[in-house]
Amino acid sequence: LPEQEVPVSPRMLSAREEGILLLVAEGKSNAEISEILAISACTVKNHMQRIMKKLDAANRTEAVAKYRTFGGAKSSPRSLAF
């Protein structure tokens, strides 16, 4: 049987993942995001890998595009509770 595609949903992301993706959408690098959120760049990278897997995205740009296409938050990442 062919594998069925699971629809992408921004609700698949945790609040932290959503905040990181919103910062990526602003053009922030992993290093910049790590400074803003006071976490290591390695942790940001791990979050991005999970985000891309959840959204079935090949790269950061595609992850942001899919997130926006399927109704991801339009709020500022600084307004999200972490």
Side-chain angles (χ1 to χ4, degrees):
L1 294 172
E3 206 173 298
Q4 288 185 324
E5 266 190 50
V6 176
V8 174
S9 169
R11 287 172 280 196
M12 299 167 90
L13 303 180
S14 69
R16 174 65 88 180
E17 291 167 342
E18 183 178 29
I20 288 172
L21 193 55
L22 290 171
L23 288 167
V24 168
E26 290 180 6
K28 305 289 187 209
S29 68
N30 286 358
E32 291 170 321
I33 294 168
S34 73
E35 286 183 30
I36 292 166
L37 299 179
I39 59 177
S40 76
C42 184
T43 300
V44 175
K45 182 179 176 182
N46 289 336
H47 280 298
M48 279 308 304
Q49 288 173 339
R50 280 196 304 279
I51 290 165
M52 290 188 296
K53 184 174 181 178
K54 286 180 179 183
L55 297 179
D56 192 28
N59 55 52
R60 296 160 73 96
T61 304
E62 185 179 3
V64 170
K66 283 187 172 189
Y67 183 72
R68 287 180 173 163
T69 298
F70 292 97
K74 311 225 180 338
S75 63
S76 164
R78 288 160 197 84
S79 69
L80 296 172
F82 292 113

